[in-house]
Amino acid sequence: MFLNYLKVALRNLLRKKFYSTINILGLAIGLTCTILIGLFVQNELSFDKHHENYKKIYRLESHFTIQESDDFFAATAFPLGPALKLEFPQDVEEYCRFLTMDNNLFQIDDKKIFEDNVYYADSTLTTLFTHKFIAGTPNGALNDPNEMILTESFARRIFGDEDPIGKVLDTGYGLGFTITGVIEDVPYDSHLRFEAVGSMITLENYFGKDRYHSLESGAFWNISFYSYIMLTETGNIQNVLDGYPAFNEKYIKPVGEQINSKFQLMVQPLADVHLHSDLGYDLPTGNIAYVHTFSIVALFLLLIGCINYMNMATAQSANRATEVGIRKVVGAQKSYLRSQFLMESLILTFLALLLAFIATELFLPAFNEIADRHLSFNIAENLNFFLGIVGIALIVGIVSGSYPAFYLSSFIPVEVLKGKLGKSKGTLRKILVLLQFSISIIMIVGTFTVIQQLNFLKNKDLGFNKENVVVLTMRDTTGIKNINAFQDELLKHSQILKAGTSSSIPGQGYGILVHRYETLDGTMAEKEINFVFVDNDYIDVMDMKIIKGRNYDPELTTDLEESIIINEACANVLGWGNDPIGKKLGFAADLDGTANRDTRVIGVIKDFHYNSLHNKVDPILLLLSERPLRNISLRVRQENIENTINYIKGKWNEFCPTFPFDYTFLDEDLNEQYIAEQKIGRVFTYFSIMCIFIACLGLFGLAAYTAEQRTKEISIRKVMGASVSSIVLILSREFTIWVLLANIIAWPLAYLALKKWLENFAYAVNISIFTFVCAGIVALVIALVTVSFRAIKAALTNPAEALKYE
Amino acid sequence: MIKTNNLTKIYRTDEVETVALNNVNVEVTKGEFVAVMGPSGCGKSTLLNVIGLLDNPTNGEFYFNTQEVSKYTERMRTNLRKSNIGFIFQSFNLIDELTVYENVELPLLYIKMSSAERKKRVNEILDRMKIAHRAKHFPQQLSGGQQQRVAVARAVVTTPKLILADEPTVNLDSANGEELMDMLTQLNEEGTTIMMVTHSPTFAEYAHRTIQLFDGHIVTENIKKEFHL
């Protein structure tokens, strides 16, 4: 019997090449996209799960409450891990801390390599985390000061094919590290990726033994470490959280009370960090919203493919009616027929799946390129995923086959054998097309809005001129000392217009400190405010607008000690409104070298976006620095930029020979902030094109069917004198109504989804009705073009042929 | 074998009620060959459909082999039908996607006969219907006469006790029509009961008895040939 089903199914597929192609193609595209999205989602969900102990590992995180304002940070204080281990021995087995190693210029012989991704880490790194050692052993690899583990590819970059174990690697600061281990590259799906880790104990020499091991309260208030704890076999994280109040009382509160601040411990399971973290000072993370969005898109694509099948299968029912009738007459029960039709849809789906596997192989490199991933599809290594996809195909086959199966198997043989096919109004088919087009319109609106938002981010006035700014960062202490002479040299070049220095550049993050400020009634209050050090020229170089007061004046030596420039947001937040000039503002805590400055506001700068547009502009202070600052911003002319860069490079090598020359353009740096959105936007666009394509395939098939079904009507109309165009109109009208109705369903859903997405940005485009209308028109035009192809063909058919046949 | 008491079939649509069969009383004995005649729309095919268990009557009783079956569910009717009744249609109604062999084999699949037995049975019947050389062909590759022979082969392959033929000769030329009638006669002589709807008085001559239907009533019954059990 199965063989009989198979034979009929295959012969039917071959005979109805047109409909089979539409079905298989639609499902294959849907399944291919599903596999690609599936791999992407699987990758997102697999972050940090390659660590054997991942279920026992938690990241420690900080929640500060200062002056009633809350801040959340991924970084924690140095003694937090050790103190937790000490106080909760039943639950906390071990801790491991990471500290970013700044300014790493690695030197061996004449070779200099600069690498950002380097950390100090505790020797427990290999206890908590799983890293495979290629050379050296995990035991004691970071036990002593000045030891270092390298990744395989980093080791190769430095040492080539030589064995690095035991070799000493100099950093740019006369600090040498002995290589004690080489590990496999840290997998892409790790939230903390590094190229090298130096032993944390190296810092003992810097801090001094006492400070390094101190558990004093003050040490709990300086956060710059990523800390992780691993629970014991019987450990429970809830015990730690329950015990925290007492812990807080003992270690943290003493200093907290002095500075009127609270610290609350937060913990996050290691595997959740990548997708569920939204904290300050965090490493780049993923976003669960994208995982959800893409999963929904995959579902959409499959649904549209299924709908095509249902529509095609029921539309062709006239052709299968006789067969159903005969099978019933000679003894087929309904259930047999249902299995037969289900089998057919399964066969078709699995053919599509086969194509999808091939297509995945072909398109995966391109997808990796677009989404910036390193995904691979290896059935043997990813058997569960493979089985999952087969399962999905099975569900798709059953879903798309079930309606036709019930519909076709319910034919009454007496009637169908007489050629009387119950005239179905095709209501369900219409609803299905409505659904398909609703989905397509949602995707079109989504694509339009994503593109609009990305353009908006690119072109928004940031409050400074980001174009034609070359940024150099001095990493070398001698270079920084000579920075003024260096700048003077640079300004001699006719294409270099202005030069200024700052402690940070937009998009890089700024310092934050508690400041004292003058309230309206003249008393002093405290507040955490961002700050950046600048020199006299920086504001001018960046084309920032002074809206009140004045800029720093190099002629006025008092500016250094007594003056401060704030942004608009600062004036508003501190309640100074329109009258901030002359207000008192000073540091509450010590700041090395600039302690206890008491300044007055001399100028207010128009708000500028020093962070990405995901965030609102917060208050910020622009403090004048007497010391040279390491970031140099150069405003240059656009012409002959290559020549200008060469000139800068020449001067750099004169002034800062130890470090390799490196520069960036500010606008490019800023664009980096939206790279995740840009990638997502690109992927989204491709998938939405696929969505629309599959829907159109279905519509094309359905138009063909409608034309076929209405052959007699069309012929009679033609005999009566209808023109080709009027017939095309008649056939298109019905579809036009469906597509227009689809807008009604799609618009509110799309609106809600986009509103939610745009909430991720503090500055977002307005969702305009125009976008929706445009999407509706695009869908309608695509639908009409699709339908017209078939309608024109039908209208051109010789009516005599059709009527004779009838 | 077949007995109906006041068999009535009414088709209802939203606006119209059509009485297709009106208190029809028919009795067909085992081994009989009955022709049903009458003008278009008189209810011939409806009668055949009800007797063939393809449709239930609206009212009245219907005994098939002494069982009252007029209230059977579709599933019960299908089960009874598949081993007892063979159908021959005017438009042959072969499945285009199946070969001659597969078309004939189809009813045997539904009675779950073993594959070896099926093969034997299909080949026998194809030989008998002189169509074995076309076993691998598809219906469209055959002439009308050949297609109808395949249809007959399919109808008799399960050795049904009753064959219902609905104007089986309409789409055949006279030579093929006569050949078909000879085939039916031979099956009847071998013991199969046959009920055939026809417009042709010539072909009705082959039957033992002719029933004349008009507007859902039986108007006359004339016995052409002696029939003895």
Side-chain angles (χ1 to χ4, degrees):
Chain A
M1 186 67 83
F2 174 75
L3 217 61
N4 187 276
Y5 291 164
L6 194 70
K7 260 189 291 199
V8 176
L10 289 176
R11 284 175 194 162
N12 253 316
L13 276 180
L14 289 175
R15 182 168 298 191
K16 304 274 185 293
K17 287 192 186 72
F18 172 69
Y19 294 109
S20 306
T21 311
I22 288 181
N23 277 332
I24 295 184
L25 200 61
L27 284 174
I29 295 172
L31 285 166
T32 308
C33 295
T34 304
I35 296 174
L36 293 175
I37 291 173
L39 288 170
F40 170 83
V41 168
Q42 187 193 35
N43 180 250
E44 284 289 293
L45 296 177
S46 72
F47 264 67
D48 294 308
K49 288 186 182 160
H50 52 272
H51 296 296
E52 277 168 28
N53 295 322
Y54 81 89
K55 285 184 180 158
K56 292 196 289 174
I57 300 175
Y58 289 80
R59 183 169 78 169
L60 305 178
E61 292 158 357
S62 306
H63 171 191
F64 286 103
T65 311
I66 301 170
Q67 302 273 323
E68 283 161 25
S69 79
D70 289 305
D71 281 303
F72 302 88
F73 297 106
T76 47
F78 192 59
L80 188 62
L84 286 173
K85 186 185 171 189
L86 185 72
E87 293 295 326
F88 300 95
Q90 303 291 328
D91 297 292
V92 178
E93 181 170 324
E94 199 47 272
Y95 64 86
C96 180
R97 298 162 296 187
F98 291 82
L99 174 69
T100 313
M101 200 186 279
D102 275 332
N103 306 343
N104 327 287
L105 181 75
F106 293 95
Q107 304 182 62
I108 183 109
D109 305 329
D110 292 339
K111 214 183 208 171
K112 288 180 188 171
I113 289 174
F114 184 76
E115 175 55 58
D116 256 331
N117 258 339
V118 183
Y119 293 85
Y120 290 103
D122 285 302
S123 61
T124 48
L125 172 79
T126 52
T127 316
L128 270 76
F129 302 102
T130 311
H131 292 291
K132 197 171 169 210
F133 275 70
I134 294 167
T137 57
N139 290 338
L142 296 172
N143 267 3
D144 296 314
N146 300 75
E147 288 184 334
M148 185 169 266
I149 297 174
L150 307 179
T151 62
E152 191 182 2
S153 60
F154 190 52
R156 185 158 295 128
R157 258 164 75 199
I158 301 176
F159 295 103
D161 291 332
E162 283 175 58
D163 179 12
I165 300 293
K167 295 227 163 59
V168 175
L169 199 54
D170 276 331
T171 67
Y173 309 94
L175 186 64
F177 285 95
T178 309
I179 308 305
T180 52
V182 177
I183 56 169
E184 277 184 356
D185 286 356
V186 180
Y188 176 83
D189 51 0
S190 310
H191 81 276
L192 196 158
R193 284 200 294 280
F194 54 80
E195 293 297 338
V197 273
S199 50
M200 186 69 84
I201 195 79
T202 313
L203 297 176
E204 200 183 36
N205 287 335
Y206 283 89
F207 288 6
K209 235 187 170 81
D210 290 347
R211 211 179 130 203
Y212 185 84
H213 297 284
S214 166
L215 294 181
E216 275 175 53
S217 186
F220 284 84
W221 290 89
N222 174 14
I223 59 161
S224 16
F225 299 83
Y226 297 116
S227 304
Y228 302 82
I229 52 167
M230 182 167 78
L231 301 181
T232 56
E233 284 306 324
T234 55
N236 185 343
I237 195 68
Q238 196 53 46
N239 294 342
V240 178
L241 295 174
D242 291 345
Y244 179 74
F247 179 92
N248 182 50
E249 203 73 28
K250 179 171 174 187
Y251 290 97
I252 297 170
K253 217 171 158 191
V255 165
E257 271 178 343
Q258 290 170 31
I259 56 172
N260 202 5
S261 305
K262 285 183 196 134
F263 172 85
Q264 184 66 38
L265 173 71
M266 299 195 298
V267 292
Q268 188 164 38
L270 182 65
D272 283 359
V273 171
H274 175 66
L275 286 177
H276 300 275
S277 176
D278 182 20
L279 305 168
Y281 294 165
D282 206 348
L283 296 154
T285 57
N287 189 336
I288 190 74
Y290 292 138
V291 171
H292 292 155
T293 310
F294 282 120
S295 304
I296 291 170
V297 169
L299 192 72
F300 277 178
L301 285 160
L302 285 179
L303 199 62
I304 294 182
C306 290
I307 290 177
N308 279 355
Y309 184 85
M310 290 188 222
N311 277 340
M312 292 297 103
T314 51
Q316 287 176 74
S317 56
N319 303 314
R320 305 296 299 273
T322 316
E323 185 193 331
V324 171
I326 294 164
R327 283 183 184 271
K328 281 195 159 186
V329 166
V330 301
Q333 297 283 10
K334 257 187 189 176
S335 55
Y336 285 137
L337 289 166
R338 270 184 225 139
S339 347
Q340 183 189 342
F341 288 117
L342 268 181
M343 188 79 72
E344 280 184 23
S345 72
L346 283 173
I347 289 169
L348 192 119
T349 311
F350 277 87
L351 279 176
L353 183 63
L354 213 63
L355 277 181
F357 283 141
I358 297 168
T360 304
E361 281 301 320
L362 289 176
F363 292 112
L364 192 57
F367 180 73
N368 273 332
E369 181 91 23
I370 298 165
D372 190 23
R373 297 278 152 160
H374 304 81
L375 307 174
S376 64
F377 185 42
N378 186 326
I379 294 172
E381 282 173 15
N382 208 346
L383 192 64
N384 284 341
F385 181 79
F386 172 75
L387 292 177
I389 291 295
V390 171
I392 288 175
L394 206 65
I395 293 169
V396 166
I398 291 170
V399 167
S400 28
S402 55
Y403 173 64
F406 277 90
Y407 178 72
L408 290 170
S409 67
S410 65
F411 284 162
I412 299 158
V414 177
E415 287 176 7
V416 292
L417 291 180
K418 269 191 202 151
K420 269 199 279 174
L421 190 58
K423 247 230 150 101
S424 104
K425 286 188 209 129
T427 315
L428 186 81
R429 266 200 297 281
K430 284 176 195 165
I431 292 171
L432 290 176
V433 169
L434 198 71
L435 195 64
Q436 274 187 322
F437 267 82
S438 305
I439 293 172
S440 298
I441 292 167
I442 291 174
M443 294 294 286
I444 299 173
V445 175
T447 310
F448 282 177
T449 311
V450 169
I451 293 171
Q452 275 175 31
Q453 173 66 12
L454 290 177
N455 281 335
F456 172 82
L457 294 179
K458 225 174 183 171
N459 300 325
K460 178 159 174 35
D461 176 15
L462 298 175
F464 57 89
N465 181 359
K466 65 178 178 177
E467 308 296 332
N468 302 322
V469 176
V470 175
V471 178
L472 310 170
T473 303
M474 277 277 178
R475 300 173 190 279
D476 176 38
T477 33
T478 31
I480 293 177
K481 277 178 198 149
N482 297 324
I483 209 159
N484 289 334
F486 176 53
Q487 284 192 87
D488 290 343
E489 277 300 308
L490 292 179
L491 287 169
K492 283 180 184 162
H493 193 274
S494 62
Q495 303 287 354
I496 301 175
L497 304 173
K498 291 168 187 170
T501 59
S502 57
S503 59
S504 181
I505 58 163
Q508 244 183 20
Y510 289 88
I512 187 161
L513 270 179
V514 178
H515 291 77
R516 279 181 287 115
Y517 69 97
E518 181 184 349
T519 60
L520 285 181
D521 54 22
T523 56
M524 296 302 278
E526 286 180 357
K527 175 97 195 145
E528 247 188 340
I529 310 174
N530 291 315
F531 68 92
V532 57
F533 283 109
V534 298
D535 67 8
N536 281 312
D537 303 309
Y538 186 73
I539 290 172
D540 190 31
V541 171
M542 297 298 284
D543 275 350
M544 293 172 178
K545 309 274 172 299
I546 304 265
I547 52 169
K548 278 198 180 71
R550 62 173 177 87
N551 195 350
Y552 290 119
D553 186 344
E555 306 295 319
L556 289 174
T557 46
T558 48
D559 268 2
L560 187 63
E561 291 293 326
E562 296 166 7
S563 305
I564 194 159
I565 293 177
I566 63 174
N567 70 348
E568 281 175 284
C570 184
N572 292 332
V573 168
L574 298 184
W576 294 336
N578 285 325
D579 190 24
I581 303 296
K583 289 279 187 298
K584 277 192 238 165
L585 185 64
F587 298 113
D590 284 4
L591 191 66
D592 287 352
T594 48
N596 297 320
R597 258 200 232 179
D598 267 323
T599 56
R600 283 177 187 274
V601 176
I602 57 157
V604 178
I605 215 158
K606 183 172 179 282
D607 277 344
F608 67 101
H609 293 275
Y610 56 91
N611 278 325
S612 79
L613 295 168
H614 294 100
N615 309 100
K616 284 240 176 263
V617 177
D618 282 330
I620 189 165
L621 312 175
L622 292 90
L623 294 160
L624 191 57
S625 171
E626 61 177 333
R627 298 197 304 176
L629 301 165
R630 61 191 217 147
N631 296 297
I632 309 171
S633 301
L634 303 170
R635 178 150 312 272
V636 297
R637 275 195 230 273
Q638 202 166 3
E639 304 83 58
N640 283 328
I641 193 77
E642 213 168 313
N643 184 298
T644 312
I645 296 293
N646 276 333
Y647 176 79
I648 300 172
K649 185 178 178 180
K651 292 293 159 196
W652 174 280
N653 289 337
E654 267 176 46
F655 281 84
C656 187
T658 31
F659 274 77
F661 174 66
D662 193 21
Y663 71 97
T664 54
F665 287 102
L666 184 62
D667 53 347
E668 287 171 10
D669 283 347
L670 291 171
N671 264 342
E672 296 266 317
Q673 301 175 100
Y674 311 114
I675 219 131
E677 277 84 13
Q678 278 160 7
K679 276 179 220 151
I680 297 295
R682 266 196 312 236
V683 175
F684 197 78
T685 309
Y686 285 110
F687 283 136
S688 86
I689 290 171
M690 288 298 128
C691 242
I692 297 159
F693 180 70
I694 306 176
C696 282
L697 273 183
L699 194 64
F700 187 63
L702 212 57
Y705 158 73
T706 311
E708 220 169 81
Q709 229 197 5
R710 294 172 75 171
T711 310
K712 189 176 172 189
E713 180 200 330
I714 293 167
S715 305
I716 294 168
R717 281 178 190 273
K718 279 189 85 172
V719 171
M720 300 297 151
S723 66
V724 171
S725 58
S726 75
I727 285 168
V728 171
L729 196 72
I730 289 167
L731 284 173
S732 313
R733 191 168 53 201
E734 200 177 352
F735 291 104
T736 309
I737 294 167
W738 298 351
V739 174
L740 289 178
L741 280 176
N743 282 299
I744 297 174
I745 300 175
W747 288 9
L749 292 176
Y751 177 79
L752 291 176
L754 288 170
K755 199 165 155 258
K756 186 103 183 112
W757 183 68
L758 289 173
E759 276 169 12
N760 283 319
F761 300 89
Y763 300 89
V765 280
N766 292 320
I767 305 178
S768 83
I769 182 77
F770 182 69
T771 311
F772 289 79
V773 174
C774 266
I777 291 172
V778 167
L780 188 65
V781 168
I782 293 175
L784 280 181
V785 168
T786 312
V787 172
S788 300
F789 264 118
R790 201 56 193 72
I792 289 168
K793 192 179 162 203
L796 290 174
T797 323
N798 179 1
E801 288 292 320
L803 291 176
K804 195 170 76 194
Y805 185 74
E806 277 286 320
Chain B
M1 175 164 217
I2 289 165
K3 188 175 187 310
T4 70
N5 282 336
N6 298 325
L7 202 66
T8 301
K9 179 74 187 176
I10 300 168
Y11 291 109
R12 289 191 180 88
T13 63
D14 292 342
E15 287 133 28
V16 200
E17 197 178 273
T18 318
V19 181
L21 294 176
N22 194 353
N23 293 316
V24 172
N25 295 305
V26 186
E27 196 164 347
V28 178
T29 325
K30 192 163 181 284
E32 214 180 348
F33 187 159
V34 179
V36 181
M37 293 187 75
S40 285
C42 69
K44 302 185 299 284
S45 296
T46 308
L47 180 64
L48 218 58
N49 288 337
V50 172
I51 290 176
L53 298 166
L54 291 174
D55 213 348
N56 270 342
T58 316
N59 276 312
E61 290 167 343
F62 170 31
Y63 295 90
F64 187 90
N65 278 342
T66 70
Q67 278 178 72
E68 216 287 293
V69 297
S70 66
K71 300 286 184 293
Y72 268 28
T73 63
E74 193 188 323
R75 173 175 283 272
M76 292 159 80
R77 279 188 276 132
T78 303
N79 273 334
L80 194 57
R81 187 170 66 229
K82 66 183 175 190
S83 45
N84 286 302
I85 306 174
F87 285 87
I88 303 169
F89 303 95
Q90 57 171 308
S91 49
F92 322 136
N93 279 336
L94 299 173
I95 296 179
D96 289 342
E97 284 74 22
L98 298 179
T99 61
V100 164
Y101 181 94
E102 288 158 359
N103 263 292
V104 176
E105 186 192 26
L106 196 62
L108 301 179
L109 288 172
Y110 290 116
I111 57 172
K112 300 201 167 116
M113 184 179 276
S114 76
S115 131
E117 179 80 352
R118 277 202 315 262
K119 199 169 173 187
K120 188 167 151 257
R121 197 72 91 75
V122 174
N123 284 329
E124 259 172 35
I125 214 86
L126 288 176
D127 270 340
R128 192 170 156 195
M129 295 294 151
K130 303 188 184 69
I131 198 83
H133 61 297
R134 294 285 197 176
K136 290 205 166 77
H137 287 74
F138 286 94
Q140 315 87 288
Q141 298 168 309
L142 305 182
S143 72
Q146 288 171 325
Q147 288 191 43
Q148 193 58 300
R149 289 217 295 276
V150 177
V152 174
R154 187 181 62 191
V156 301
V157 72
T158 55
T159 52
K161 296 174 187 71
L162 172 66
I163 287 181
L164 298 173
D166 193 352
E167 305 193 38
T169 54
V170 165
N171 288 322
L172 300 176
D173 58 33
S174 58
N176 275 314
E178 273 168 34
E179 197 187 345
L180 176 77
M181 290 316 298
D182 288 340
M183 249 186 255
L184 290 179
T185 310
Q186 202 190 337
L187 286 166
N188 178 244
E189 280 164 2
E190 288 163 14
T192 315
T193 313
I194 295 179
M195 197 166 179
M196 174 181 75
V197 167
T198 181
H199 278 296
S200 156
T202 322
F203 292 137
E205 290 293 324
Y206 285 82
H208 298 126
R209 175 158 67 103
T210 305
I211 296 168
Q212 288 283 346
L213 272 179
F214 186 77
D215 273 357
H217 296 283
I218 294 183
V219 283
T220 55
E221 277 192 65
N222 41 26
I223 297 166
K224 301 272 171 46
K225 291 177 187 173
E226 283 302 313
F227 168 71
H228 304 288
L229 272 175

